[in-house]
């Protein structure tokens, strides 16, 4: 099932912090972790990354993997420097108050999958 | 080697927020050269993990990237503590990174396994107390 970043945003009731102009981008799979090396082990096209970790390495990890959208969970606040980095890399950044389990569950229910390992 | 492009980067120690800048630069250069997205991603991930390792474990070092028509060769050289047991270090989940690194999202013991996973060849040359040089090849 083809989904867009906007579908992902709507399923989570998330707020757009960066990349409002890219909400029509296609999303095919998702990955959720606070450990960036676990995320780096996962390389799929058109992915979103859910994480509770907020530091510049999240943006770099997303950059290396060509991730289309970062979702900060549990209402974690990203600072302006991080958001600027994301802007420079044409990423979408969303923020949701949901915890990891719930956020992943909502996206799974909406039809998103993790992709084969 | 004919037609080889060589890029060199100094990796500064103890600056975790800047770790990854070299990998980011290589990624955008390879993209501009028209290298396939799949190969670009493999190089970017493997080099990024290596670059992070150099910052966490080795107090920086030097990365040389050689781009030839049929392969990309990354050489990551540091004068850090060396790896006492390479086989153990290669095990998924094994890590000697301190807790503060784990709280930054690394140290899950996936760095070296990921580097191996995304490259076609990987060689670890290490001597305890002298340093480590990791050479990785991605074929185009």
């Amino acid at each position: 099932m083809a989904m867009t970043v906007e579908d992902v945003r709507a399923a989570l009731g998330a707020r757009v912090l960066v990349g409002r102009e890219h909400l029509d981008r296609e999303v095919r799979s998702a990955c959720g972790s606070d450990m960036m090396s676990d995320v780096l082990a996962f390389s799929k096209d058109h992915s979103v990354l859910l994480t509770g970790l907020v530091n510049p390495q999240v943006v770099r990890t997303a950059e290396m993997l060509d991730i289309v959208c970062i979702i900060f969970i549990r209402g974690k606040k990203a600072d302006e420097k991080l958001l600027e980095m994301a802007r420079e890399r044409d990423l979408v950044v969303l923020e949701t108050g949901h915890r990891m389990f719930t956020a992943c569950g909502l996206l799974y229910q909406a039809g998103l999958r993790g992709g084969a390992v | 080697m004919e037609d080889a492009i060589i890029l060199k980067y100094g990796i500064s120690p103890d600056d975790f927020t800047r770790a990854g800048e070299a990998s980011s630069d290589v990624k955008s250069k390879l993209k501009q050269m028209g290298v396939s997205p799949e190969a670009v991603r493999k190089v970017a991930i493997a080099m990024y993990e290596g670059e992070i390792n150099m910052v966490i474990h080795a107090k920086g070092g030097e990365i040389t990237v050689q781009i030839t028509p049929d392969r990309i060769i990354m050489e990551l050289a540091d004068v850090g503590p060396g790896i006492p047991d390479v086989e153990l270090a290669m095990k998924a989940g094994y890590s000697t990174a301190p807790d503060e690194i784990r709280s930054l999202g690394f140290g899950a013991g996936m760095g070296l396994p990921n580097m191996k996973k995304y490259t076609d060849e990987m060689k670890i040359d290490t001597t305890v107390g002298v340093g480590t040089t990791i050479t990785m090849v991605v074929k185009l």
Side-chain angles (χ1 to χ4, degrees):
Chain A
M1 187 172 84
M3 285 179 81
T4 62
V5 175
E6 170 54 25
D7 295 334
V8 167
R9 190 211 60 75
L12 297 172
R15 205 157 71 86
V16 184
L17 300 181
V18 166
R20 193 167 289 281
E21 65 277 25
H22 301 310
L23 294 183
D24 57 349
R25 280 189 188 158
E26 189 186 354
V27 173
R28 290 190 205 147
S29 57
C31 170
S33 181
D34 291 352
M35 295 305 276
M36 291 303 107
S37 280
D38 287 339
V39 178
L40 286 160
F42 168 95
S43 175
K44 299 267 178 289
D45 270 334
H46 302 280
S47 297
V48 299
L49 164 62
L50 297 102
T51 187
L53 182 75
V54 181
N55 73 36
Q57 299 309 336
V58 175
V59 180
R60 292 222 189 272
T61 298
E63 175 187 4
M64 302 308 160
L65 290 169
D66 299 314
I67 276 168
V68 293
C69 171
I70 299 171
I71 304 163
F72 290 118
I73 56 158
R74 298 180 237 132
K76 293 270 179 139
K77 296 292 173 212
D79 64 15
E80 188 46 43
K81 200 175 155 214
L82 186 153
L83 297 179
E84 190 51 43
M85 274 180 79
R87 228 170 263 130
E88 284 166 12
R89 288 158 180 80
D90 272 340
L91 287 160
V92 180
V93 180
L94 305 179
E95 177 190 84
T96 173
H98 290 300
R99 293 179 182 204
M100 183 66 97
F101 179 81
T102 308
C104 292
L106 287 168
L107 292 185
Y108 197 91
Q109 197 172 39
L112 203 57
R113 295 293 180 267
V117 178
Chain B
M1 202 182 291
E2 210 185 338
D3 292 336
I5 296 166
I6 293 175
L7 307 170
K8 271 188 193 293
Y9 301 89
I11 306 305
S12 50
D14 302 324
D15 194 352
F16 190 75
T17 54
R18 290 188 59 199
E21 278 184 1
S23 306
S24 175
D25 189 66
V26 168
K27 187 173 193 231
S28 64
K29 286 206 165 85
L30 292 177
K31 241 186 189 165
Q32 278 169 18
M33 287 175 204
V35 175
S36 78
E38 193 51 40
V40 172
R41 200 188 303 173
K42 283 158 95 179
V43 169
I45 296 170
M47 180 171 160
Y48 178 54
E49 286 279 19
E51 195 179 343
I52 292 280
N53 272 351
M54 288 169 88
V55 175
I56 296 174
H57 298 287
K59 306 246 174 288
E62 194 176 76
I63 300 180
T64 309
V65 181
Q66 221 186 108
I67 305 154
T68 76
D70 67 340
R71 59 184 52 209
I72 294 165
I73 304 154
M74 294 162 270
E75 191 188 85
L76 289 72
D78 68 57
V79 286
I83 306 167
D85 187 338
V86 173
E87 204 183 322
L88 186 60
M90 285 302 300
K91 267 197 184 143
Y94 178 81
S95 176
T96 58
D99 283 349
E100 75 208 54
I101 294 299
R102 232 154 274 157
S103 70
L104 294 169
F106 288 88
M110 292 306 293
L112 288 171
N114 276 349
M115 287 156 76
K116 191 171 172 60
K117 176 181 166 185
Y118 288 106
T119 54
D120 295 300
E121 289 166 32
M122 177 164 128
K123 197 182 92 193
I124 302 175
D125 201 347
T126 185
T127 308
V128 171
V130 177
T132 301
T133 297
I134 296 184
T135 310
M136 297 181 285
V137 176
V138 170
K139 291 180 185 162
L140 298 176

